[in-house]
Amino acid sequence: MEELDTATSPKPPSKVLTIAVVAVLTLVAGGGGWLVGGLLAPPPPKEQVEATKEPAANATGEEGVPKVATEANGVVQLEPITTNLAYPSENWIRLELALQFDGVPDPKLAEQIHQDIAAYMKTVSLQQIQGPRGFQYLRDDIQERVDLRSDGRVTNVMFRTFVIQ
């Protein structure tokens, strides 16, 4: 009787069969995802692909990396400003700004503005610049200082980074 029980009991599936089933299901899922992705987001037109393949040289001669701050577009990137805040004095702030000039940029004026902003940042407390409203006030204050210093020659102050540590 024991022979009949062992002969009729189901055999557990082999590991090879389980691995094969998982591999086939993975391939079917990957193929389906590729097909649906191609239907939802078709490839871009050839003109657009060819336009992106052309290397763009910037002012420093590096290819493929666009340079935002150039004299051709009237933008001057200032050196990073790193200073401690007025209160609490153990907190530091780092700003990277760019100035957009109306016309030809003036490096001397840009340096004066840089020094003015650095001096102003030493008088700011953390409570004044906390949150989105504080950041907007800081932007407005810096824009006002730049407008006064440049007599309207700088049209825009662009914040590239703003870090408080």
Side-chain angles (χ1 to χ4, degrees):
M1 274 214 179
E2 289 181 21
E3 291 179 18
L4 289 175
D5 289 338
T6 58
T8 59
S9 66
K11 222 168 132 182
S14 70
K15 290 183 181 180
V16 173
L17 182 62
T18 304
I19 292 172
V21 168
V22 169
V24 168
L25 288 175
T26 301
L27 290 173
V28 168
W34 176 75
L35 180 67
V36 170
L39 291 174
L40 293 177
K46 286 185 179 182
E47 299 86 29
Q48 186 178 7
V49 172
E50 290 172 3
T52 59
K53 287 183 180 179
E54 296 175 12
N58 62 12
T60 62
E62 299 170 357
E63 292 184 4
V65 180
K67 183 139 175 101
V68 175
T70 63
E71 289 189 20
N73 61 9
V75 177
V76 173
Q77 184 172 343
L78 300 178
E79 291 295 319
I81 298 169
T82 304
T83 184
N84 60 326
L85 295 172
Y87 179 80
S89 60
E90 60 269 359
N91 285 19
W92 288 78
I93 188 166
R94 177 182 168 93
L95 283 173
E96 288 185 27
L97 303 171
L99 304 175
Q100 183 173 14
F101 281 82
D102 185 24
V104 179
D106 184 4
K108 289 182 181 180
L109 179 60
E111 183 59 31
Q112 290 174 351
I113 292 171
H114 178 270
Q115 295 301 323
D116 190 31
I117 293 172
Y120 171 69
M121 292 310 298
K122 291 180 182 183
T123 66
V124 174
S125 70
L126 183 61
Q127 289 78 18
Q128 291 174 311
I129 57 176
Q130 279 184 326
R133 182 167 286 174
F135 178 69
Q136 186 61 44
Y137 289 149
L138 177 68
R139 284 179 54 105
D140 293 343
D141 289 345
I142 289 177
Q143 182 69 51
E144 185 178 338
R145 287 181 158 280
V146 169
D147 288 343
L148 289 173
R149 175 71 71 173
S150 69
D151 295 326
R153 291 183 49 208
V154 175
T155 58
N156 192 13
V157 177
M158 296 171 275
F159 279 69
R160 297 183 53 99
T161 61
F162 176 72
V163 179
I164 299 174
Q165 187 175 12

